[in-house]
Amino acid sequence: HVQLVESGGGSVQTGGSLRLSCAPSGLSVSDSSMAWFRQAPGKEREGVAAIVSDGSTEYADSVKTRFTISRDNAKNIAYLQMNSLKPEDTAMYYCAAQSSFVCNRHMWYLSTEYSYWGQGTQVTVS
């Protein structure tokens, strides 16, 4: 049984930073495609960043120079470091995971590529 537990959300001022963590049970971050999505009120869920099993990363254009996705294989945790936060980054952030054998890395930004989801952590930038 796979579970993803996110943490690290909160409220920050414009220009501030947050680091989100995703701690999965039942799967290994090193063998999986791990991604972060976000959903703001009234908007569709959008892919923010992903890291695949070989360690390569993908980013949405809106966050490419500000956010960094990473993982700690020993701790089995995936992270999203968010710097220079803007009010438009305000959203519920979700961790997602899928076996690297199943996930199409070229479609990393599609929520349908992922079978496992966390409960979400709120990020508010004002």
Side-chain angles (χ1 to χ4, degrees):
H1 180 61
V2 175
Q3 284 189 313
L4 307 179
V5 179
E6 301 109 330
S7 61
S11 296
V12 294
Q13 293 186 334
T14 299
S17 298
L18 285 172
R19 188 178 76 162
L20 306 183
S21 299
C22 175
S25 59
L27 63 80
S28 171
V29 297
S30 61
D31 295 331
S32 304
S33 292
M34 304 295 298
W36 289 94
F37 284 74
R38 66 186 181 186
Q39 188 167 20
K43 294 188 176 181
E44 292 187 355
R45 190 171 296 192
E46 64 171 344
V48 175
I51 183 167
V52 298
S53 58
D54 67 3
S56 56
T57 56
E58 304 282 352
Y59 295 94
D61 288 343
S62 60
V63 307
K64 194 169 291 186
T65 61
R66 302 183 295 122
F67 291 9
T68 303
I69 190 170
S70 63
R71 68 186 186 208
D72 185 324
N73 293 342
K75 295 181 178 179
N76 203 39
I77 297 177
Y79 300 101
L80 184 69
Q81 177 67 44
M82 305 185 296
N83 298 329
S84 302
L85 282 161
K86 304 175 181 180
E88 51 263 45
D89 295 317
T90 295
M92 186 71 78
Y93 283 70
Y94 298 91
C95 178
Q98 180 58 285
S99 167
S100 61
F101 296 105
V102 175
C103 186
N104 182 340
R105 62 179 295 171
H106 300 293
M107 310 290 275
W108 69 270
Y109 52 90
L110 295 179
S111 60
T112 50
E113 288 295 312
Y114 302 89
S115 295
Y116 309 108
W117 292 84
Q119 80 286 355
T121 185
Q122 178 69 37
V123 172
T124 302
V125 186
S126 60

